[in-house]
Amino acid sequence: MAKRIRYRRVYEETSPREGKRVLVDRVWPRGVRKEDAHLDEWLRDVAPSTELRKWYGHDPDRFSEFRRRYLGELRDAGHEQAAGRLRDLASRDPLVLLTATKDVDHSQAAVLADWLNRKR
């Protein structure tokens, strides 16, 4: 069975068949106009906290600890509603999680896709 939740960079070309497109970054991506992003939703509150994001700094050597901490954050009150919304979207439609991060395999989008695919 194909995974229904995928992730990729927001800068890549869109496809109408890919499903719901949800930006999971806390800040808006540079150089992307809102009308050109073709988003269904922007769930900034599902993104890692500013503190965690700054600590991580997209250092692949810190990814496993980042993942552990971020999964913990998804259970806290500040992320709970947005995480629930994401789970709801994933239960109904194919979903593409978008991020501006260059290394998408070491991003919150990758963590979220894995987390959502395991919950199904």
Side-chain angles (χ1 to χ4, degrees):
M1 180 168 90
K3 292 182 178 179
R4 292 174 35 100
I5 297 99
R6 295 169 308 161
Y7 58 92
R8 62 189 202 137
R9 292 192 78 208
V10 68
Y11 302 105
E12 294 175 14
E13 239 179 88
T14 65
S15 166
R17 297 177 307 208
E18 66 186 355
K20 297 281 185 189
R21 295 171 45 87
V22 179
L23 180 65
V24 294
D25 287 352
R26 188 163 297 279
V27 295
W28 189 259
R30 284 188 184 162
V32 176
R33 293 179 14 192
K34 290 188 180 181
E35 55 272 10
D36 293 339
H38 306 287
L39 297 179
D40 292 294
E41 289 200 41
W42 177 18
L43 289 175
R44 71 181 82 186
D45 291 336
V46 79
S49 65
T50 300
E51 297 78 18
L52 180 57
R53 186 173 47 85
K54 287 182 178 181
W55 170 84
Y56 175 45
H58 300 287
D59 179 351
D61 292 335
R62 291 184 169 184
F63 184 69
S64 61
E65 179 62 15
F66 166 76
R67 184 182 191 290
R68 187 189 71 74
R69 291 182 188 189
Y70 181 41
L71 289 171
E73 282 190 354
L74 290 174
R75 292 186 295 269
D76 72 27
H79 290 81
E80 188 176 39
Q81 186 175 2
R85 174 67 182 145
L86 203 53
R87 278 193 306 271
D88 182 52
L89 287 170
S91 72
R92 291 186 277 140
D93 296 299
L95 193 60
V96 178
L97 306 177
L98 300 169
T99 182
T101 305
K102 289 180 184 175
D103 183 357
V104 293
D105 291 330
H106 293 102
S107 71
Q108 74 272 10
V111 174
L112 284 169
D114 183 58
W115 179 69
L116 289 166
N117 279 316
R118 289 175 192 262
K119 295 227 176 244
R120 295 184 325 107

